[in-house]
Amino acid sequence: MDLQHLPASTAHLLTLDRLLESACLRQTQLPHATRLFEDFTYHFDRVARFYGHRPDDPEAMREAAAQIDFPDDRRSALVEALRHQNPGSPLLDELGARGTVTVVTGQQVGLFSGPCYTIYKALTAIRVAGRLRDMGIRAVPVFWLATEDHDFAEVDHAYVFGDSHQPECLRASAAPAPQQPVGGIRLRDVPLVELKQALESFPFGDTVYRQVAAAYAPGQSMGVAFRELLKSLLAGHELLFIDPLDEHIRRLGAPLLRRAVESAHDLRERLMERNTELLAAGYHAQVHIEAQTSLVFLLDGNRRVTLRSQNGDYLAKDARYSTAELAARADRLSPNALLRPVMQDYLLPTAAYIGGPAELAYFAQAQAIYRELLGRMPVVMHRAGFTLVDSRAQNLLTRYELPWPVVFEGEDGIREHIAKRLVPPELVQSAAATRQDVESALDRYSGDLEHFDPTLAAALGKSRKKILYQLAKIERKSAREAMRRNDRAAAEAHFLAGLLYPNKHLQERLYTILPFLAKHGPDLIGTIYDGIQLDCPDHQILVV
């Protein structure tokens, strides 16, 4: 069955053997959406010059695939380099066949798989690869492990919830060296006991805990543990993993990085021009670029050393390198956020990339150097996005007629909305009647004053606002008093905020997928996969 896109309305998704009701929310209804992302999603013509292909046209992927000229020797070396990271994967033989393209996504190697959208990215990539195969294009999905990032504080924690459905932050500890890439950090203390306690009230809590404990075995690195957990959670959905810290991968990427160092001045000029274009069009530049910006870091031992460009040389905190010296160390270089996708698509025959809003913004800048270094660019697509709603939350949303914009105001907004619905009907009617009577009396009085003295009528206009404000204030106080008398309703507002908009963040951006799997079981992965609508750009409220 073909599911039609129903923007900003109620849609019905046929998943497995049951019908699930799902509301589609336009991305513009979500908090903190940028103008660039909104136009990318709903008005692509406005931003088309910053990208290579339309994301909403399946034929664009055919065009992107046709543009790929991937050398046989690089393909063979790539497959061999990936074998030890993906032992026994049938996708390796597929990737090794001439003409096979990749659908790529990726994420920082965060504790316990990172936020929910990590899973949504992976499943979207798998679904897009399937669409390409249906079009007669051999394709495999690939997950890029962002192990080179060196900000441990960004990945050392994960948010889960227990029976109370309130966010709980679990944090790991380690002793990384300054600027050490996170993928190689070995954790000293993994909060497995805390995870088990948080999930123990859920029917599949022990199963999920055992999966996590197996991946985060003592002494395991962040990169390997992340990869092994994703493999376990996505069992049944084939996906290749690539770790750019692997020495074989670094050697494969060295020619591209060498070119980037040698042509750094021209590349910076292109990027600064692109940033000017974006700002002139009313958009933001995700990465600030200036004349001293280096597009590469140096991997020195267990450090990812920051470099600055100066008069053709590169300065580190305690060293200086000529362009030639740095180019000679190309297999020890690590790309910055704008060069990374270009290197990724040099290493892989990428037809499509699946990313979040920030990554889409990177590509709007990086297109300027794709032209110079690669001569092609993949189709850039937004990942599927979900807010998962259980039956209790769905019933409460229906009972209180809670609109999603109110949910995204957080607990205070939810409480205020519910409180209004708890005020006795006769009091609501009395308040409305009083307000109407007062407004009518003020209208009459204002008319009489206008004839007598217009300045007095103007003064009454100011007083009118104060009078109506005081009436509305009494109504709000009545609502809060009704809520105070109803402990159950207060608890329900607390529950809804904790599950649906925890800590005033989108659910998919805060919680890891683990508590949802613990509550709903491993089949949840299949339900989410079946719920992905590649032709729908909206955010889905999926009832599970």
Side-chain angles (χ1 to χ4, degrees):
M1 177 183 295
D2 289 329
L3 299 171
Q4 297 300 312
H5 172 207
L6 302 176
S9 63
T10 299
H12 291 86
L13 309 177
L14 191 63
T15 61
L16 301 179
D17 295 323
R18 59 179 180 154
L19 196 64
L20 299 178
E21 188 176 295
S22 173
C24 288
L25 297 180
R26 287 177 68 85
Q27 302 289 348
T28 53
Q29 294 177 270
L30 302 184
H32 313 306
T34 66
R35 183 183 171 197
L36 178 64
F37 178 54
E38 291 176 358
D39 283 353
F40 177 93
T41 305
Y42 298 113
H43 305 284
F44 187 75
D45 289 344
R46 299 175 184 174
V47 300
R49 66 187 183 276
F50 303 128
Y51 296 90
H53 307 273
R54 291 193 68 91
D56 55 357
D57 180 6
E59 289 304 311
M61 286 191 288
R62 190 185 300 278
E63 178 183 326
Q67 293 174 354
I68 297 172
D69 181 16
F70 202 68
D72 290 344
D73 58 344
R74 193 185 309 163
R75 185 181 295 274
S76 297
L78 172 65
V79 171
E80 286 307 308
L82 293 179
R83 285 199 183 280
H84 75 280
Q85 297 181 39
N86 303 271
S89 173
L91 295 182
L92 289 171
D93 290 338
E94 291 187 46
L95 179 59
R98 179 180 295 179
T100 297
V101 300
T102 57
V103 177
V104 182
T105 191
Q107 182 59 29
Q108 292 174 299
V109 290
L111 182 68
F112 296 162
S113 80
C116 283
Y117 65 69
T118 301
I119 298 296
Y120 304 158
K121 281 182 173 181
L123 293 176
T124 306
I126 294 167
R127 174 59 74 87
V128 172
R131 168 172 280 188
L132 282 171
R133 289 192 291 270
D134 291 342
M135 295 168 59
I137 301 171
R138 188 184 291 112
V140 298
V142 177
F143 194 102
W144 183 278
L145 300 162
T147 52
E148 293 178 298
D149 292 352
H150 56 266
D151 191 343
F152 181 60
E154 288 188 355
V155 298
D156 69 348
H157 60 280
Y159 279 90
V160 299
F161 58 82
D163 193 45
S164 67
H165 294 81
Q166 298 305 306
E168 179 182 351
C169 183
L170 306 183
R171 194 173 297 275
S173 65
Q179 296 184 297
Q180 181 177 356
V182 297
I185 294 174
R186 300 191 182 277
L187 298 175
R188 294 188 308 190
D189 183 22
V190 181
L192 291 172
V193 173
E194 295 89 337
L195 177 68
K196 185 173 186 178
Q197 291 171 344
L199 304 183
E200 63 185 0
S201 63
F202 297 133
F204 300 93
D206 188 59
T207 300
V208 172
Y209 164 75
R210 283 188 275 108
Q211 286 179 284
V212 177
Y216 285 81
Q220 194 65 280
S221 69
M222 287 283 290
V224 172
F226 180 93
R227 183 188 72 206
E228 293 307 303
L229 181 56
L230 252 62
K231 282 184 180 180
S232 177
L233 298 179
L234 297 171
H237 296 271
E238 290 293 338
L239 181 68
L240 287 178
F241 293 87
I242 181 169
D243 183 348
L245 281 178
D246 180 273
E247 62 181 28
H248 301 92
I249 298 299
R250 288 205 307 272
R251 283 199 293 269
L252 275 177
L256 186 282
L257 293 172
R258 185 176 299 115
R259 282 187 57 201
V261 169
E262 292 170 346
S263 56
H265 178 270
D266 290 342
L267 296 180
R268 276 194 302 272
E269 289 291 320
R270 300 290 179 274
L271 287 171
M272 287 190 286
E273 290 171 4
R274 172 52 52 88
N275 283 11
T276 299
E277 293 174 36
L278 285 166
L279 294 173
Y283 303 121
H284 73 289
Q286 190 75 12
V287 178
H288 178 68
I289 299 292
E290 55 188 23
Q292 292 76 36
T293 298
S294 169
L295 300 181
V296 296
F297 298 81
L298 176 63
L299 295 173
D300 183 12
N302 62 353
R303 296 188 305 152
R304 188 179 187 229
V305 178
T306 300
L307 300 171
R308 298 287 287 174
S309 177
Q310 186 180 83
N311 299 324
D313 291 341
Y314 289 83
L315 301 182
K317 186 177 181 180
D318 52 4
R320 186 183 192 100
Y321 305 93
S322 68
T323 295
E325 288 173 327
L326 210 59
R329 300 187 182 195
D331 63 344
R332 303 299 305 173
L333 298 181
S334 171
N336 79 342
L338 296 182
L339 184 59
R340 180 205 53 76
V342 186
M343 190 187 81
Q344 160 195 288
D345 298 332
Y346 171 83
L347 288 166
L348 298 164
T350 309
Y353 183 83
I354 311 301
E359 291 162 295
L360 303 187
Y362 289 145
F363 275 88
Q365 295 175 263
Q367 185 215 30
I369 57 177
Y370 264 98
R371 297 170 181 169
E372 303 293 324
L373 295 176
L374 207 56
R376 61 177 171 87
M377 188 176 181
V379 179
V380 183
M381 303 175 67
H382 184 244
R383 59 166 174 80
F386 294 95
T387 294
L388 305 180
V389 180
D390 64 15
S391 58
R392 180 189 176 195
Q394 175 71 347
N395 290 337
L396 292 174
L397 291 170
T398 302
R399 181 199 306 166
Y400 293 120
E401 298 181 358
L402 258 169
W404 281 96
V406 171
V407 173
F408 294 143
E409 292 175 13
E411 186 169 349
D412 289 344
I414 295 172
R415 287 174 62 91
E416 183 173 343
H417 179 89
I418 292 176
K420 290 178 181 178
R421 302 188 62 80
L422 295 176
V423 177
E426 61 274 12
L427 191 57
V428 173
Q429 294 170 4
S430 178
T434 300
R435 186 169 56 252
Q436 185 176 358
D437 290 344
V438 170
E439 288 183 339
S440 296
L442 289 170
D443 287 341
R444 290 193 301 271
Y445 191 25
S446 178
D448 293 340
L449 281 175
E450 188 68 37
H451 289 96
F452 177 69
D453 186 336
T455 59
L456 291 176
L460 178 62
K462 295 180 180 178
S463 297
R464 175 195 185 106
K465 293 179 181 178
K466 295 178 181 178
I467 293 169
L468 295 178
Y469 171 78
Q470 290 299 326
L471 287 174
K473 186 175 180 180
I474 293 297
E475 290 182 60
R476 290 194 297 272
K477 286 185 175 181
S478 298
R480 287 195 290 270
E481 177 61 19
M483 173 68 84
R484 189 188 66 79
R485 297 180 184 185
N486 193 322
D487 293 340
R488 177 179 173 184
E492 288 169 342
H494 191 56
F495 160 74
L496 286 171
L499 177 64
L500 304 179
Y501 196 50
N503 289 356
K504 292 193 173 183
H505 287 80
L506 288 179
Q507 180 196 87
E508 65 177 17
R509 292 189 167 275
L510 189 76
Y511 286 134
T512 174
I513 197 68
L514 300 182
F516 296 99
L517 292 172
K519 184 173 182 177
H520 301 288
D523 291 345
L524 176 63
I525 296 294
T527 299
I528 294 169
Y529 178 79
D530 291 337
I532 293 173
Q533 301 180 73
L534 294 181
D535 298 321
C536 174
D538 297 341
H539 182 88
Q540 290 178 236
I541 309 300
L542 185 62
V543 181
V544 295

